[in-house]
Amino acid sequence: MAERTASDIISRARAAFIGLAVGDALGAPVEFMTRGEISEKYGVLEEMVGGGWLRLKPGQVTDDTDMSLAVSRAIVESGGWSLKAIAENFALWLRSKPVDVGDTCRRGIRNYMLKGVMESPPNEWDGGNGAVMRMLPVALCTVGDRALLEDYARQQAHLTHNHPLSDAACISFGAMMHLALIGRSRTRLREETDALIAAYPTFHFEPYKGLATGYVVDTMQTVFHTFFGTRSFEDCLVQTVNQGGDADTTGAIAGAVAGAYYGEAEIPARWVKRLDKKLVAELNYLAERLVRMAPLVKGSLD
Ligand code: MN
Ligand code: MN
């Protein structure tokens, strides 16, 4: 590998996955709160406090991390892409009575369980962020191949969400991750975001409207606003979750981008310490296995 060593990409992949879990756990206690409610209760939320509408333990993750794990395990255990294995893992997860499940995700998974459906029909109400929040493993196992990313992104998304703006967000997030994983500049990542906005102007985020809802457009605007408007992993995540709304999901997506971009050393240890140790070990393991399957890294010896 010329430009970046495999070990650097693997390290950034681990940072992305830990970053996703950190953002999920940090934001989940303030999910569905407004900015005003958060500042009244916490000032600025900067710690893993637990609680919230799901009554979480400090550091506990939710569906964003769970579904990313389900996709990751399916790919790694199958030794390659298997939509059926992903659908099976979603079904397994739903049966495990998870702490939370989005309505659109539940509907898609139930359609698989009851009728074997692996492609939801196009639906104008499917513009939620549930497909993007579990895109990280798809980005990791396709580094170096944009066409493969687009194919897998649509397949996994359509298990539950079939909407052009969800698809566009999934692919754009994946492309940003590819760039961050190989150590590209903020300016280069911004070009990717600008390309999305050129194709779908609704994603325009300047000036920021301050909406951080579960609608995929609001979610991505929030992530773009906080990632491009801050200069550290910590600031990016703190700004993101303090917007409230779908704070665990915006936190998870921003955490993945910022994790890959800033790298493992920049993720505050006090946050990582709060996560379950077994979870951290599995995220690190899966991140490496996924990236080693990617076209850019496969066969590399370092
Ligand atoms: Mn969640
Ligand atoms: Mn959420």
Side-chain angles (χ1 to χ4, degrees):
M1 284 192 43
E3 194 173 355
R4 290 281 161 177
T5 63
S7 56
D8 185 51
I9 298 176
I10 290 163
S11 168
R12 287 176 186 274
R14 285 198 295 255
F17 224 153
I18 301 292
L20 178 138
V22 158
D24 182 1
L26 191 68
V30 294
E31 190 181 27
F32 303 132
M33 288 171 73
T34 65
R35 261 175 304 177
E37 287 166 349
I38 295 170
S39 72
E40 203 166 291
K41 185 159 183 192
Y42 298 107
V44 179
L45 178 69
E46 296 176 327
E47 304 302 329
M48 302 254 189
V49 293
W53 73 284
L54 295 170
R55 300 170 192 272
L56 301 161
K57 293 179 296 215
Q60 190 177 345
V61 297
T62 68
D63 55 346
D64 313 79
T65 305
D66 287 348
M67 293 195 89
S68 299
L69 276 170
V71 175
S72 301
R73 289 176 186 144
I75 299 170
V76 167
E77 283 162 20
S78 306
W81 185 252
S82 168
L83 190 62
K84 171 113 180 137
I86 295 171
E88 280 295 325
N89 272 3
F90 284 174
L92 198 67
W93 171 71
L94 190 60
R95 282 193 218 100
S96 77
K97 306 225 183 311
V99 59
D100 64 335
V101 187
D103 293 339
T104 309
C105 287
R106 183 191 302 276
R107 185 200 63 196
I109 298 167
R110 284 186 56 80
N111 275 334
Y112 171 74
M113 292 165 74
L114 298 171
K115 296 177 240 161
V117 175
M118 291 207 284
E119 176 153 25
S120 306
N123 186 328
E124 64 170 308
W125 303 107
D126 286 5
N129 57 23
V132 192
M133 75 184 192
R134 55 176 198 247
M135 261 300 293
L136 176 62
V138 177
L140 296 183
C141 75
T142 58
V143 184
D145 191 333
R146 168 85 184 219
L148 201 60
L149 165 71
E150 294 191 11
D151 176 20
Y152 292 175
R154 286 196 190 88
Q155 285 188 46
Q156 80 81 14
H158 293 183
L159 284 170
T160 56
H161 292 64
N162 191 346
H163 190 283
L165 295 175
S166 165
D167 287 358
C170 285
I171 291 165
S172 175
F173 165 80
M176 267 179 96
M177 290 306 304
H178 281 186
L179 294 168
L181 288 162
I182 60 168
R184 288 299 173 89
S185 69
R186 177 188 303 275
T187 310
R188 182 66 191 85
L189 268 68
R190 181 59 199 255
E191 284 168 17
E192 191 59 49
T193 300
D194 289 343
L196 171 71
I197 295 167
Y200 299 93
T202 184
F203 286 100
H204 190 79
F205 66 101
E206 293 165 321
Y208 177 55
K209 292 185 206 73
L211 295 172
T213 75
Y215 178 45
V216 71
V217 172
D218 293 344
T219 301
M220 296 312 290
Q221 284 182 359
T222 300
V223 171
F224 297 149
H225 169 70
T226 58
F227 176 72
F228 291 114
T230 54
R231 289 291 179 274
S232 73
F233 179 90
E234 182 170 354
D235 285 351
C236 175
L237 273 273
V238 167
Q239 273 222 17
T240 304
V241 300
N242 280 277
Q243 294 295 335
D246 200 353
D248 59 325
T249 306
T250 54
I253 298 169
V257 177
Y261 180 77
Y262 293 106
E264 286 183 289
E266 296 301 313
I267 302 179
R270 70 179 199 279
W271 288 347
V272 181
K273 263 189 232 156
R274 281 290 190 183
L275 299 177
D276 181 85
K277 282 192 179 55
K278 269 202 214 143
L279 172 68
V280 172
E282 187 178 10
L283 296 175
N284 281 325
Y285 166 78
L286 289 169
E288 170 157 9
R289 290 291 305 272
L290 288 163
V291 149
R292 286 202 182 276
M293 291 178 170
L296 191 66
V297 181
K298 203 159 45 185
S300 165
L301 295 175
D302 79 343

